[in-house]
Amino acid sequence: MGTALITGATSGIGLTFARTLARRGHDIVAVARDRDRLEIVATELRGYGVEVELISADLTDREQLAVVERRVRDQPVEILVNNAGFGVMQQFAGGDLDAEQRMLDVLVTAVMRLTHAALPGMIEMGSGAILNVSSIAGWITGGTYSASKAWVTVFSESLAIEIAGTGVHVTAVCPGFTHTEFHQRASMEVDTIPEWMWLDSQEVVDRALIDVRRGRPVSVAGRQYKAMSIAVQYLPRPLVRALGARRPGR
Ligand code: NAP
């Protein structure tokens, strides 16, 4: 079993990826900012009998991101999960521009640079998987967060075509509302989201790992979101824009 590097491995979807892949026998490189939480995760994952390496890095910081890039370039990994992320819920006009920039640094720049660093080693090995955690938000017009996730999905789909036949698979993972720390960290009001719209992170991760193995460029967990992913392709764009205007946290 090869090594999996997971960004944002201390909470939510990233932690579920780490637990699931460790249970399957993959050594784990866990990346996040909070060193104490990384240590707690490492202790748990070592219980599955795998090697665990920790990189405490803030992916908004180019020098710290470069440390992670070097890790995947110099010692190729079998699986890269670009998962770390957060939302900035504010009006763009007059909003905090540095906060927007930090979000793009993590959701777009880190995903692009880590993928670029990991790919040559994977292509040389003739196998590998890159899972880029995007969002259903990329289907609607929900501010810079949505725009970033649309980038992640289109980037992953494009790359999947570019590297077809190399043995390396790239999948954009598009979760809907998933129980994690995400909404609390973003101070999002989600009390009005109906229960049927919520996913469990294990459902998202299990679906993603099946889809990447099957070479599917986009992974959508849950019947409700699969139906929406089809519907949204046929909805008139003004209706999609209207949906974006009604998004939670706006
Ligand atoms: P979460 O529970 O808040 O976990 C976020 C993880 O990212 C944490 O491990 C956090 O650790 C790490 N992180 C945040 N900022 C970072 C930074 N600057 N540098 C390095 N690591 C950073 O959220 P989640 O819901 O699991 O989110 C994971 C991904 O799923 C994100 O890309 C999010 O956009 C996407 N997503 C979530 C949902 C949802 O409903 N939850 C839906 C669609 C897509 P530290 O704070 O220690 O750095």
Side-chain angles (χ1 to χ4, degrees):
M1 284 288 173
T3 300
L5 184 142
I6 302 150
T7 67
T10 51
S11 169
I13 296 169
L15 178 57
T16 304
F17 265 113
R19 285 179 173 144
T20 306
L21 291 167
R23 272 200 298 266
R24 294 182 188 185
H26 292 275
D27 293 334
I28 303 292
V29 184
V31 181
R33 289 167 302 182
D34 187 328
R35 184 86 213 175
D36 293 344
R37 283 187 81 168
L38 279 169
E39 296 287 356
I40 293 166
V41 169
T43 304
E44 181 193 330
L45 298 181
R46 286 184 186 122
Y48 297 113
V50 298
E51 298 287 322
V52 181
E53 188 182 322
L54 304 177
I55 304 179
S56 172
D58 182 342
L59 300 177
T60 64
D61 181 307
R62 271 301 178 83
E63 281 181 19
Q64 295 182 42
L65 173 58
V67 172
V68 191
E69 287 175 52
R70 267 198 300 279
R71 174 61 183 81
V72 290
R73 189 182 302 112
D74 298 350
Q75 297 164 261
V77 295
E78 183 70 26
I79 301 175
L80 168 65
V81 185
N82 282 308
N83 159 83
F86 56 90
V88 174
M89 301 302 152
Q90 62 175 359
Q91 298 287 340
F92 182 74
D96 177 351
L97 187 57
D98 290 337
E100 298 283 357
Q101 185 62 62
R102 282 193 294 276
M103 184 172 66
L104 257 69
D105 289 342
V106 176
L107 298 186
V108 175
T109 305
V111 173
M112 179 182 74
R113 297 191 69 92
L114 290 177
T115 301
H116 193 263
L119 262 178
M122 289 182 174
I123 291 173
E124 203 180 313
M125 291 189 296
S127 71
I130 299 178
L131 295 117
N132 292 328
V133 180
S134 182
S135 172
I136 60 151
W139 304 340
I140 60 164
T141 55
T144 42
Y145 178 78
S146 274
S148 304
K149 293 303 192 182
W151 183 90
V152 174
T153 302
V154 174
F155 168 67
S156 307
E157 289 184 282
S158 309
L159 193 58
I161 294 165
E162 183 183 317
I163 64 170
T166 62
V168 182
H169 297 298
V170 182
T171 297
V173 180
C174 296
F177 287 102
T178 308
H179 291 293
T180 68
E181 295 176 15
F182 179 90
H183 310 94
Q184 193 192 345
R185 287 187 195 226
S187 306
M188 272 175 81
E189 280 298 329
V190 288
D191 294 349
T192 54
I193 306 295
E195 197 45 46
W196 64 266
M197 287 187 82
W198 287 96
L199 296 170
D200 181 79
S201 60
Q202 192 66 58
E203 209 178 337
V204 173
V205 168
D206 289 344
R207 182 75 258 159
L209 292 173
I210 290 170
D211 286 337
V212 76
R213 207 173 45 239
R214 292 184 180 164
R216 294 195 176 134
V218 178
S219 175
V220 179
R223 274 193 218 135
Q224 68 279 51
Y225 289 110
K226 277 194 201 334
M228 280 183 221
S229 73
I230 296 164
V232 81
Q233 295 172 39
Y234 298 102
L235 285 180
R237 204 62 192 163
L239 195 54
V240 174
R241 287 195 285 270
L243 283 173
R246 287 167 56 86
R247 71 190 187 274
R250 187 169 184 276

mmCIF file of all heavy atoms in Angstrom, residues 1-6 17-29 45 48-52 78-79 209:
data_model
loop_
_atom_site.group_PDB
_atom_site.id
_atom_site.type_symbol
_atom_site.label_atom_id
_atom_site.label_comp_id
_atom_site.label_asym_id
_atom_site.label_seq_id
_atom_site.Cartn_x
_atom_site.Cartn_y
_atom_site.Cartn_z
ATOM 1 N N MET A 1 0.852 -1.210 0.000
ATOM 2 C CA MET A 1 0.000 0.000 0.000
ATOM 3 C C MET A 1 0.874 1.242 0.000
ATOM 4 O O MET A 1 1.811 1.341 0.783
ATOM 5 C CB MET A 1 -0.870 0.018 1.265
ATOM 6 C CG MET A 1 -2.031 -0.925 1.204
ATOM 7 S SD MET A 1 -3.293 -0.342 0.071
ATOM 8 C CE MET A 1 -4.393 -1.734 0.070
ATOM 9 N N GLY A 2 0.545 2.191 -0.859
ATOM 10 C CA GLY A 2 1.343 3.405 -0.938
ATOM 11 C C GLY A 2 0.934 4.421 0.116
ATOM 12 O O GLY A 2 0.046 4.186 0.930
ATOM 13 N N THR A 3 1.615 5.561 0.042
ATOM 14 C CA THR A 3 1.363 6.636 1.006
ATOM 15 C C THR A 3 0.301 7.588 0.464
ATOM 16 O O THR A 3 0.256 7.876 -0.725
ATOM 17 C CB THR A 3 2.681 7.407 1.239
ATOM 18 O OG1 THR A 3 3.634 6.471 1.761
ATOM 19 C CG2 THR A 3 2.507 8.554 2.209
ATOM 20 N N ALA A 4 -0.536 8.097 1.381
ATOM 21 C CA ALA A 4 -1.532 9.108 1.013
ATOM 22 C C ALA A 4 -1.227 10.400 1.758
ATOM 23 O O ALA A 4 -1.044 10.372 2.980
ATOM 24 C CB ALA A 4 -2.927 8.617 1.374
ATOM 25 N N LEU A 5 -1.130 11.503 1.042
ATOM 26 C CA LEU A 5 -0.981 12.812 1.686
ATOM 27 C C LEU A 5 -2.326 13.521 1.623
ATOM 28 O O LEU A 5 -2.929 13.634 0.558
ATOM 29 C CB LEU A 5 0.102 13.652 1.013
ATOM 30 C CG LEU A 5 0.381 15.005 1.699
ATOM 31 C CD1 LEU A 5 1.871 15.343 1.688
ATOM 32 C CD2 LEU A 5 -0.431 16.150 1.096
ATOM 33 N N ILE A 6 -2.774 13.967 2.794
ATOM 34 C CA ILE A 6 -4.103 14.590 2.900
ATOM 35 C C ILE A 6 -3.956 15.969 3.523
ATOM 36 O O ILE A 6 -3.423 16.089 4.640
ATOM 37 C CB ILE A 6 -5.032 13.728 3.778
ATOM 38 C CG1 ILE A 6 -5.160 12.315 3.183
ATOM 39 C CG2 ILE A 6 -6.417 14.381 3.920
ATOM 40 C CD1 ILE A 6 -5.397 11.254 4.217
ATOM 41 N N PHE A 17 -11.084 10.930 5.379
ATOM 42 C CA PHE A 17 -10.172 10.352 4.369
ATOM 43 C C PHE A 17 -8.985 9.687 5.072
ATOM 44 O O PHE A 17 -8.594 8.563 4.734
ATOM 45 C CB PHE A 17 -9.638 11.437 3.421
ATOM 46 C CG PHE A 17 -10.422 11.590 2.149
ATOM 47 C CD1 PHE A 17 -11.155 12.744 1.896
ATOM 48 C CD2 PHE A 17 -10.428 10.586 1.177
ATOM 49 C CE1 PHE A 17 -11.883 12.893 0.706
ATOM 50 C CE2 PHE A 17 -11.147 10.724 -0.009
ATOM 51 C CZ PHE A 17 -11.878 11.884 -0.244
ATOM 52 N N ALA A 18 -8.409 10.380 6.052
ATOM 53 C CA ALA A 18 -7.215 9.857 6.739
ATOM 54 C C ALA A 18 -7.536 8.544 7.441
ATOM 55 O O ALA A 18 -6.794 7.556 7.324
ATOM 56 C CB ALA A 18 -6.696 10.894 7.731
ATOM 57 N N ARG A 19 -8.651 8.519 8.192
ATOM 58 C CA ARG A 19 -9.036 7.285 8.914
ATOM 59 C C ARG A 19 -9.305 6.139 7.935
ATOM 60 O O ARG A 19 -8.854 5.020 8.141
ATOM 61 C CB ARG A 19 -10.310 7.533 9.713
ATOM 62 C CG ARG A 19 -10.080 8.360 10.953
ATOM 63 C CD ARG A 19 -11.395 8.584 11.679
ATOM 64 N NE ARG A 19 -11.172 9.244 12.953
ATOM 65 C CZ ARG A 19 -11.988 10.152 13.477
ATOM 66 N NH1 ARG A 19 -13.088 10.514 12.839
ATOM 67 N NH2 ARG A 19 -11.719 10.696 14.640
ATOM 68 N N THR A 20 -10.029 6.444 6.859
ATOM 69 C CA THR A 20 -10.432 5.392 5.910
ATOM 70 C C THR A 20 -9.208 4.810 5.211
ATOM 71 O O THR A 20 -9.069 3.592 5.072
ATOM 72 C CB THR A 20 -11.422 5.985 4.875
ATOM 73 O OG1 THR A 20 -12.491 6.601 5.583
ATOM 74 C CG2 THR A 20 -11.967 4.923 3.942
ATOM 75 N N LEU A 21 -8.301 5.694 4.772
ATOM 76 C CA LEU A 21 -7.122 5.218 4.044
ATOM 77 C C LEU A 21 -6.152 4.495 4.986
ATOM 78 O O LEU A 21 -5.523 3.506 4.602
ATOM 79 C CB LEU A 21 -6.446 6.388 3.320
ATOM 80 C CG LEU A 21 -7.278 6.937 2.139
ATOM 81 C CD1 LEU A 21 -6.734 8.273 1.648
ATOM 82 C CD2 LEU A 21 -7.318 5.931 0.986
ATOM 83 N N ALA A 22 -6.054 4.955 6.232
ATOM 84 C CA ALA A 22 -5.192 4.267 7.210
ATOM 85 C C ALA A 22 -5.751 2.872 7.497
ATOM 86 O O ALA A 22 -4.994 1.897 7.559
ATOM 87 C CB ALA A 22 -5.095 5.088 8.496
ATOM 88 N N ARG A 23 -7.076 2.793 7.657
ATOM 89 C CA ARG A 23 -7.706 1.467 7.898
ATOM 90 C C ARG A 23 -7.414 0.511 6.746
ATOM 91 O O ARG A 23 -7.318 -0.687 6.929
ATOM 92 C CB ARG A 23 -9.224 1.623 8.052
ATOM 93 C CG ARG A 23 -9.667 1.915 9.476
ATOM 94 C CD ARG A 23 -11.146 1.582 9.659
ATOM 95 N NE ARG A 23 -11.994 2.383 8.799
ATOM 96 C CZ ARG A 23 -12.568 3.526 9.168
ATOM 97 N NH1 ARG A 23 -12.371 4.010 10.365
ATOM 98 N NH2 ARG A 23 -13.331 4.200 8.327
ATOM 99 N N ARG A 24 -7.262 1.081 5.525
ATOM 100 C CA ARG A 24 -6.980 0.231 4.360
ATOM 101 C C ARG A 24 -5.482 -0.061 4.202
ATOM 102 O O ARG A 24 -5.067 -0.648 3.216
ATOM 103 C CB ARG A 24 -7.507 0.912 3.084
ATOM 104 C CG ARG A 24 -9.019 1.005 3.084
ATOM 105 C CD ARG A 24 -9.548 1.624 1.820
ATOM 106 N NE ARG A 24 -10.988 1.871 1.920
ATOM 107 C CZ ARG A 24 -11.745 2.312 0.944
ATOM 108 N NH1 ARG A 24 -11.212 2.558 -0.240
ATOM 109 N NH2 ARG A 24 -13.032 2.514 1.134
ATOM 110 N N GLY A 25 -4.680 0.458 5.135
ATOM 111 C CA GLY A 25 -3.263 0.113 5.146
ATOM 112 C C GLY A 25 -2.328 1.135 4.514
ATOM 113 O O GLY A 25 -1.128 0.870 4.359
ATOM 114 N N HIS A 26 -2.849 2.302 4.154
ATOM 115 C CA HIS A 26 -1.973 3.331 3.576
ATOM 116 C C HIS A 26 -1.240 4.093 4.682
ATOM 117 O O HIS A 26 -1.860 4.467 5.688
ATOM 118 C CB HIS A 26 -2.794 4.353 2.770
ATOM 119 C CG HIS A 26 -3.395 3.798 1.525
ATOM 120 N ND1 HIS A 26 -2.696 3.728 0.342
ATOM 121 C CD2 HIS A 26 -4.617 3.262 1.272
ATOM 122 C CE1 HIS A 26 -3.462 3.190 -0.585
ATOM 123 N NE2 HIS A 26 -4.638 2.887 -0.056
ATOM 124 N N ASP A 27 0.053 4.325 4.482
ATOM 125 C CA ASP A 27 0.761 5.267 5.351
ATOM 126 C C ASP A 27 0.197 6.659 5.060
ATOM 127 O O ASP A 27 -0.209 6.938 3.926
ATOM 128 C CB ASP A 27 2.269 5.233 5.067
ATOM 129 C CG ASP A 27 2.891 3.900 5.473
ATOM 130 O OD1 ASP A 27 2.340 3.242 6.374
ATOM 131 O OD2 ASP A 27 3.908 3.508 4.858
ATOM 132 N N ILE A 28 0.203 7.507 6.078
ATOM 133 C CA ILE A 28 -0.470 8.805 5.932
ATOM 134 C C ILE A 28 0.506 9.956 6.182
ATOM 135 O O ILE A 28 1.266 9.933 7.150
ATOM 136 C CB ILE A 28 -1.644 8.934 6.951
ATOM 137 C CG1 ILE A 28 -2.670 7.792 6.785
ATOM 138 C CG2 ILE A 28 -2.306 10.318 6.843
ATOM 139 C CD1 ILE A 28 -3.489 7.800 5.518
ATOM 140 N N VAL A 29 0.450 10.963 5.312
ATOM 141 C CA VAL A 29 1.097 12.246 5.596
ATOM 142 C C VAL A 29 -0.052 13.227 5.826
ATOM 143 O O VAL A 29 -0.851 13.486 4.913
ATOM 144 C CB VAL A 29 1.985 12.737 4.429
ATOM 145 C CG1 VAL A 29 2.704 14.026 4.829
ATOM 146 C CG2 VAL A 29 2.990 11.672 4.005
ATOM 147 N N LEU A 45 -4.281 7.309 14.203
ATOM 148 C CA LEU A 45 -4.016 6.595 12.943
ATOM 149 C C LEU A 45 -2.951 5.509 13.108
ATOM 150 O O LEU A 45 -3.026 4.456 12.477
ATOM 151 C CB LEU A 45 -3.591 7.581 11.842
ATOM 152 C CG LEU A 45 -4.611 8.658 11.449
ATOM 153 C CD1 LEU A 45 -4.049 9.540 10.341
ATOM 154 C CD2 LEU A 45 -5.934 8.043 11.006
ATOM 155 N N TYR A 48 -3.857 1.967 13.643
ATOM 156 C CA TYR A 48 -4.189 1.082 12.519
ATOM 157 C C TYR A 48 -2.946 0.384 11.963
ATOM 158 O O TYR A 48 -3.024 -0.313 10.949
ATOM 159 C CB TYR A 48 -4.878 1.868 11.392
ATOM 160 C CG TYR A 48 -6.207 2.476 11.794
ATOM 161 C CD1 TYR A 48 -6.362 3.860 11.867
ATOM 162 C CD2 TYR A 48 -7.302 1.678 12.101
ATOM 163 C CE1 TYR A 48 -7.572 4.425 12.238
ATOM 164 C CE2 TYR A 48 -8.522 2.235 12.482
ATOM 165 C CZ TYR A 48 -8.647 3.614 12.542
ATOM 166 O OH TYR A 48 -9.840 4.168 12.914
ATOM 167 N N GLY A 49 -1.797 0.633 12.608
ATOM 168 C CA GLY A 49 -0.566 -0.059 12.209
ATOM 169 C C GLY A 49 0.124 0.557 10.997
ATOM 170 O O GLY A 49 0.896 -0.130 10.317
ATOM 171 N N VAL A 50 -0.130 1.827 10.727
ATOM 172 C CA VAL A 50 0.513 2.475 9.572
ATOM 173 C C VAL A 50 1.477 3.567 10.053
ATOM 174 O O VAL A 50 1.407 4.009 11.201
ATOM 175 C CB VAL A 50 -0.536 3.097 8.605
ATOM 176 C CG1 VAL A 50 -1.436 2.011 8.044
ATOM 177 C CG2 VAL A 50 -1.357 4.192 9.294
ATOM 178 N N GLU A 51 2.372 3.973 9.140
ATOM 179 C CA GLU A 51 3.291 5.076 9.445
ATOM 180 C C GLU A 51 2.542 6.390 9.264
ATOM 181 O O GLU A 51 1.781 6.543 8.286
ATOM 182 C CB GLU A 51 4.467 5.071 8.455
ATOM 183 C CG GLU A 51 5.331 3.830 8.496
ATOM 184 C CD GLU A 51 6.209 3.788 9.736
ATOM 185 O OE1 GLU A 51 6.701 4.858 10.143
ATOM 186 O OE2 GLU A 51 6.366 2.690 10.302
ATOM 187 N N VAL A 52 2.774 7.330 10.172
ATOM 188 C CA VAL A 52 2.118 8.633 10.046
ATOM 189 C C VAL A 52 3.163 9.735 10.160
ATOM 190 O O VAL A 52 3.977 9.745 11.082
ATOM 191 C CB VAL A 52 1.036 8.839 11.136
ATOM 192 C CG1 VAL A 52 0.360 10.200 10.950
ATOM 193 C CG2 VAL A 52 0.008 7.723 11.097
ATOM 194 N N GLU A 78 1.209 7.844 -3.405
ATOM 195 C CA GLU A 78 0.269 7.098 -4.251
ATOM 196 C C GLU A 78 -1.054 7.857 -4.377
ATOM 197 O O GLU A 78 -1.712 7.840 -5.414
ATOM 198 C CB GLU A 78 0.033 5.716 -3.618
ATOM 199 C CG GLU A 78 -0.869 4.776 -4.395
ATOM 200 C CD GLU A 78 -0.237 4.253 -5.677
ATOM 201 O OE1 GLU A 78 0.999 4.194 -5.742
ATOM 202 O OE2 GLU A 78 -1.004 3.918 -6.612
ATOM 203 N N ILE A 79 -1.423 8.538 -3.270
ATOM 204 C CA ILE A 79 -2.706 9.260 -3.244
ATOM 205 C C ILE A 79 -2.473 10.669 -2.684
ATOM 206 O O ILE A 79 -1.814 10.829 -1.655
ATOM 207 C CB ILE A 79 -3.740 8.528 -2.341
ATOM 208 C CG1 ILE A 79 -3.984 7.103 -2.849
ATOM 209 C CG2 ILE A 79 -5.055 9.310 -2.283
ATOM 210 C CD1 ILE A 79 -4.889 6.268 -1.939
ATOM 211 N N LEU A 209 -13.681 7.419 -3.112
ATOM 212 C CA LEU A 209 -12.639 6.399 -3.320
ATOM 213 C C LEU A 209 -13.076 5.356 -4.346
ATOM 214 O O LEU A 209 -12.248 4.843 -5.107
ATOM 215 C CB LEU A 209 -12.247 5.755 -1.981
ATOM 216 C CG LEU A 209 -11.519 6.723 -1.021
ATOM 217 C CD1 LEU A 209 -11.309 6.094 0.352
ATOM 218 C CD2 LEU A 209 -10.176 7.178 -1.607
#
